[in-house]
Amino acid sequence: MFPKVVQVIPTEDYTVYIYFEDGKIVCYDASPLLNKEVFAPLKDIHTFLNTCTVMNDTLAWDIKGNRNEYDCLDIDPDTLYALPYTQEMIA
């Protein structure tokens, strides 16, 4: 089975709630990524929040805003799916 992300909800503490097609929900802490050069643009919280999306059936950041699935920052969906289940975020 290939896990498919259908929705992501970023938060101001650099975590992202990730909703999978099969109903699993996980919370991903993206803050460790910020120390890596390629993810440096995400240090700006507005960039982190506003470019967070689903591309390639996984969590991604569309930094350039061109919706090019080959030109985004994304996380392997298997890595995300391996995270423990979490409670749904209630707004």
Side-chain angles (χ1 to χ4, degrees):
M1 180 191 112
F2 180 76
K4 182 177 178 181
V5 173
V6 294
Q7 182 179 7
V8 293
I9 300 175
T11 67
E12 291 190 4
D13 65 353
Y14 293 100
T15 60
V16 182
Y17 285 85
I18 302 162
Y19 297 76
F20 289 90
E21 183 176 49
D22 68 358
K24 183 174 183 178
I25 303 167
V26 301
C27 185
Y28 179 68
D29 179 5
S31 61
L33 298 177
L34 304 178
N35 295 324
K36 299 180 184 202
E37 186 175 341
V38 70
F39 289 97
L42 300 180
K43 287 182 181 180
D44 176 356
I45 191 63
H46 297 293
T47 300
F48 179 83
L49 295 171
N50 295 326
T51 64
C52 187
T53 189
V54 176
M55 294 178 78
N56 304 321
D57 294 329
T58 193
L59 166 64
W61 289 271
D62 183 19
I63 301 296
K64 295 182 181 177
N66 58 13
R67 297 301 296 172
N68 182 338
E69 63 186 28
Y70 302 105
D71 193 21
C72 66
L73 301 173
D74 60 6
I75 307 298
D76 182 341
D78 289 323
T79 299
L80 299 171
Y81 198 82
L83 295 171
Y85 281 84
T86 191
Q87 294 277 330
E88 182 172 10
M89 185 179 83
I90 299 173

